[in-house]
Amino acid sequence: MPQLSALLQPNGILAFSTFGTENYQELRASCGIGLEYLELKDYVEILQSDFKILESFGVRIPLRFSSTLALFKHLRDTGVNSLQRGFKLNKKLLTDYAVRFHNVLTYHPIYLLARKISLESKPKDSPSSS
């Protein structure tokens, strides 16, 4: 994140989205695969030394599919998935997923909007006593 700060002028705006820790949580639980994401509070903590957080929030969007196979086709068709190379679907995995998660896949986008703190508004270190 220091690189982002260096690119912005004082009072410049940083706006970005990423995914939160609950993104594809069902895949992680059923298949043991998935990408690792930070929690929203972690991004806030990382940014707060150089930025004033104007807005930060996450939403959970459960998508329901007609079948588990349709769910996996959705992942393939979007081109954004966390399936490892060589991952093979089988009937047991499809059946187990349907029973445990009722063909739901959760997206968890998070959004952050921040303003770079100007040098004048940054707290200065107190002078040391001599």
Side-chain angles (χ1 to χ4, degrees):
M1 296 289 180
Q3 297 90 343
L4 293 175
S5 180
L7 294 172
L8 287 172
Q9 296 293 323
N11 295 312
I13 297 292
L14 172 67
F16 72 95
S17 66
T18 185
F19 290 106
T21 56
E22 295 177 40
N23 198 59
Y24 292 180
Q25 64 187 358
E26 301 86 356
L27 280 180
R28 190 173 290 109
S30 67
C31 306
I33 56 174
L35 299 175
E36 296 296 322
Y37 298 101
L38 296 176
E39 291 188 28
L40 180 59
K41 67 178 180 63
D42 297 326
Y43 285 105
V44 169
E45 188 176 300
I46 290 166
L47 292 171
Q48 67 187 1
S49 64
D50 290 330
F51 293 90
K52 176 181 178 15
I53 306 301
L54 303 174
E55 187 72 54
S56 65
F57 64 94
V59 294
R60 285 157 193 82
I61 305 168
L63 297 184
R64 288 168 174 63
F65 294 87
S66 59
S67 69
T68 308
L69 189 56
L71 183 151
F72 279 93
K73 284 181 180 177
H74 164 78
L75 289 173
R76 181 197 65 202
D77 293 345
T78 59
V80 180
N81 67 59
S82 56
L83 300 180
Q84 298 165 341
R85 208 169 267 252
F87 178 83
K88 301 286 185 209
L89 284 179
N90 59 57
K91 189 173 181 174
K92 181 178 178 349
L93 183 130
L94 294 173
T95 303
D96 290 349
Y97 194 100
V99 168
R100 277 179 81 184
F101 302 109
H102 309 285
N103 301 323
V104 170
L105 180 66
T106 301
Y107 281 85
H108 181 207
I110 60 176
Y111 305 92
L112 288 106
L113 178 67
R115 176 176 288 121
K116 183 175 177 181
I117 299 170
S118 67
L119 295 175
E120 296 81 41
S121 31
K122 265 190 162 183
K124 293 186 169 78
D125 293 333
S126 58
S128 58
S129 304
S130 305

